[in-house]
Coordinates of all heavy atoms in Angstrom, one line a residue:
Q1557 N 99.8 114.7 146.1 CA 98.9 115.7 145.4 C 99.6 116.3 144.3 O 99.0 116.4 143.2 CB 98.4 116.7 146.4 CG 97.3 117.7 145.8 CD 96.1 117.0 145.4 OE1 95.6 116.0 146.1 NE2 95.5 117.3 144.2
I1558 N 100.9 116.6 144.4 CA 101.7 117.3 143.3 C 101.7 116.3 142.2 O 101.5 116.6 141.0 CB 103.0 117.7 143.8 CG1 102.9 119.0 144.7 CG2 104.0 117.9 142.6 CD1 104.2 119.5 145.2
A1559 N 102.1 115.0 142.5 CA 102.2 114.0 141.5 C 100.9 113.9 140.7 O 100.8 113.7 139.5 CB 102.6 112.6 142.1
K1560 N 99.7 113.9 141.4 CA 98.4 113.9 140.8 C 98.2 115.1 139.9 O 97.8 114.9 138.7 CB 97.4 113.8 141.9 CG 96.0 113.3 141.5 CD 95.2 113.0 142.7 CE 93.7 112.9 142.3 NZ 92.8 113.2 143.3
D1561 N 98.4 116.3 140.5 CA 98.2 117.6 139.7 C 99.0 117.5 138.4 O 98.6 118.1 137.4 CB 98.6 118.7 140.6 CG 97.6 119.1 141.7 OD1 96.6 118.3 141.8 OD2 98.0 120.0 142.5
L1562 N 100.2 117.0 138.5 CA 101.1 117.0 137.3 C 100.9 115.8 136.4 O 101.6 115.7 135.4 CB 102.6 117.1 137.8 CG 103.1 118.3 138.5 CD1 104.5 118.2 138.9 CD2 102.9 119.6 137.7
G1563 N 100.0 115.0 136.7 CA 99.7 113.8 135.9 C 100.9 112.8 136.0 O 101.2 112.1 135.0
L1564 N 101.6 112.7 137.1 CA 102.7 111.9 137.3 C 102.4 110.6 138.0 O 103.2 109.7 138.2 CB 103.8 112.6 138.1 CG 104.4 113.8 137.5 CD1 105.5 114.4 138.5 CD2 105.2 113.4 136.2
R1565 N 101.1 110.4 138.4 CA 100.7 109.1 139.0 C 100.7 108.0 138.0 O 100.2 108.1 137.0 CB 99.2 109.3 139.5 CG 99.0 109.8 140.9 CD 97.5 109.6 141.2 NE 97.2 108.3 141.8 CZ 96.0 107.8 142.2 NH1 94.9 108.6 141.9 NH2 95.9 106.7 142.8
P1566 N 101.3 106.8 138.4 CA 101.3 105.7 137.5 C 99.8 105.3 137.4 O 99.1 105.2 138.3 CB 102.0 104.6 138.2 CG 102.9 105.4 139.2 CD 102.1 106.6 139.6
D1567 N 99.4 104.9 136.1 CA 98.0 104.4 135.9 C 98.0 102.9 136.4 O 97.0 102.5 137.0 CB 97.7 104.4 134.4 CG 97.6 105.8 134.0 OD1 96.8 106.6 134.5 OD2 98.3 106.2 133.0
A1568 N 99.1 102.2 136.1 CA 99.1 100.8 136.5 C 100.5 100.3 137.0 O 101.5 100.8 136.5 CB 98.7 100.0 135.2
F1569 N 100.4 99.4 137.9 CA 101.6 98.8 138.5 C 101.5 97.3 138.2 O 100.5 96.7 138.7 CB 101.8 99.1 140.0 CG 103.1 98.9 140.5 CD1 104.0 100.0 140.6 CD2 103.5 97.7 141.0 CE1 105.2 99.9 141.2 CE2 104.8 97.4 141.5 CZ 105.7 98.6 141.6
V1570 N 102.4 96.8 137.4 CA 102.2 95.3 137.0 C 103.0 94.4 137.9 O 104.2 94.6 138.2 CB 102.7 95.2 135.5 CG1 102.6 93.7 135.1 CG2 101.9 96.0 134.6
I1571 N 102.3 93.4 138.4 CA 102.9 92.4 139.4 C 102.7 91.0 138.9 O 101.7 90.7 138.4 CB 102.2 92.6 140.8 CG1 102.5 94.0 141.4 CG2 102.6 91.5 141.7 CD1 101.6 94.3 142.6
S1572 N 103.8 90.1 139.0 CA 103.6 88.8 138.7 C 103.1 88.0 139.9 O 103.5 88.3 141.0 CB 105.0 88.2 138.2 OG 105.0 86.8 138.3
N1573 N 102.3 86.9 139.6 CA 101.9 86.1 140.8 C 103.0 85.1 141.2 O 102.8 84.3 142.0 CB 100.6 85.3 140.5 CG 100.8 84.2 139.4 OD1 101.9 84.2 138.8 ND2 99.8 83.4 139.2
G1574 N 104.1 85.2 140.5 CA 105.3 84.4 140.9 C 105.6 83.2 140.2 O 106.7 82.7 140.3
T1575 N 104.8 82.8 139.2 CA 105.1 81.7 138.4 C 106.1 82.2 137.3 O 106.0 83.3 136.8 CB 103.9 81.0 137.7 OG1 103.4 82.0 136.8 CG2 102.9 80.6 138.7
P1576 N 107.0 81.3 136.7 CA 107.8 81.7 135.6 C 107.1 82.3 134.4 O 107.5 83.3 133.8 CB 108.6 80.4 135.2 CG 108.5 79.5 136.4 CD 107.2 79.9 137.1
E1577 N 105.9 81.7 134.1 CA 105.2 82.2 133.0 C 104.7 83.6 133.2 O 104.7 84.5 132.3 CB 103.9 81.4 132.7 CG 104.2 79.9 132.4 CD 104.5 79.1 133.6 OE1 103.8 79.2 134.6 OE2 105.5 78.4 133.6
S1578 N 104.2 83.9 134.5 CA 103.8 85.2 134.7 C 104.9 86.2 134.8 O 104.8 87.4 134.4 CB 103.0 85.2 136.1 OG 101.8 84.4 136.0
D1579 N 106.0 85.8 135.3 CA 107.2 86.6 135.3 C 107.5 87.1 134.0 O 107.8 88.3 133.7 CB 108.4 85.9 135.9 CG 108.3 85.7 137.5 OD1 107.4 86.3 138.0 OD2 109.2 85.0 138.0
A1580 N 107.5 86.1 133.0 CA 107.8 86.4 131.6 C 106.8 87.3 130.9 O 107.1 88.0 130.0 CB 108.0 85.2 130.8

Side-chain angles (χ1 to χ4, degrees):
Q1557 185 62 41
I1558 287 179
K1560 199 170 162 200
D1561 288 356
L1562 293 179
L1564 297 176
R1565 267 190 96 182
D1567 296 302
F1569 197 97
V1570 178
I1571 294 171
S1572 157
N1573 70 349
T1575 65
E1577 302 75 50
S1578 295
D1579 287 352

